[in-house]
Amino acid sequence: MFLLNAVLHRLPAPLHRKLYRLAHWGRKQVWRIWRPSLDGVRVLALDGEGRVLLVRHSYGSDRWMPPGGGLGRREDPVAAARRELLEETGCALSDARLLAIATEDLVGASNHVHVVAGRTGDLPRVDGREIVEARFFSMDALPQPMAARLPAELRQWVSDYAR
C-alpha cells in the first residue's frame, strides 16, 4: 500500500482526484452486488475552543463530514482514528476514546462505524487529493451541505465526550 501511495502522490492532484472518483464508483458497484460487512471509523476532533473538524472529500458527496475511513483487520478503533485523522488532515489526535458504534447502510454494504472523539491542537492541512477542504466549525455554525442527521449526532457526541 505504501508503494501505491508513493506512486499516486507523484501524479498531478487533478488526475489523482479523478482516480479517487473512479475507484469510489467501482467500490460502490461491488458493494451493491456483494453487500459486504464493513468496519470504519469516524473521528470527532475538537480544538481548544470546542469546535469540530469537518472535511470534504474529492469523491462521492460534496457534503461536510467528520474525517474517517476504513478500519484495518484487528485494528484498534482509537488507533485507526489517529491514523485516519493524520492521513486526511495532518492533525494529531489526543485524549481519544471510543464513544459509539453505529451501523448504517453504505450503498448496500453494512457499515459498522466506530465513533472516536478526541482533541487536536493542530491546524488542518489538506493535499487537495482525497480531501479538498478541512476546517473547524463551532456547533452553532455548522456548514452546509451536510447529511440531515449529522448536526444532531455531532451535538450528542460532543456531549458524550464532555462527560
Side-chain angles (χ1 to χ4, degrees), residues 103-118:
T103 300
E104 56 189 38
D105 179 68
L106 189 61
V107 194
S110 178
N111 189 22
H112 308 287
V113 180
H114 298 73
V115 179
V116 174

Side-chain angles (χ1 to χ4, degrees), residues 62-156:
D62 68 341
R63 295 177 176 178
W64 287 94
M65 62 187 64
L71 197 60
R73 185 181 301 270
R74 295 186 186 94
E75 186 176 19
D76 175 70
V78 172
R82 286 189 177 110
R83 175 182 51 76
E84 284 291 341
L85 185 66
L86 190 61
E87 287 174 2
E88 292 188 355
T89 69
C91 295
L93 189 66
S94 63
D95 302 323
R97 70 175 192 269
L98 179 65
L99 294 181
I101 302 173
T103 300
E104 56 189 38
D105 179 68
L106 189 61
V107 194
S110 178
N111 189 22
H112 308 287
V113 180
H114 298 73
V115 179
V116 174
R119 301 209 173 272
T120 186
D122 301 325
L123 293 176
R125 298 177 316 278
V126 299
D127 65 6
R129 293 167 184 273
E130 179 181 8
I131 304 297
V132 293
E133 198 169 1
R135 292 195 321 229
F136 286 100
F137 295 93
S138 67
M139 296 307 295
D140 59 354
L142 294 172
Q144 288 298 321
M146 178 182 280
R149 70 182 189 283
L150 188 55
E153 289 175 335
L154 288 171
R155 287 182 184 90
Q156 182 62 55

Side-chain angles (χ1 to χ4, degrees), residues 16-27:
H16 197 168
R17 287 191 300 270
K18 285 182 183 189
L19 290 174
Y20 266 118
R21 287 191 287 274
L22 179 62
H24 184 65
W25 178 86
R27 178 172 54 181

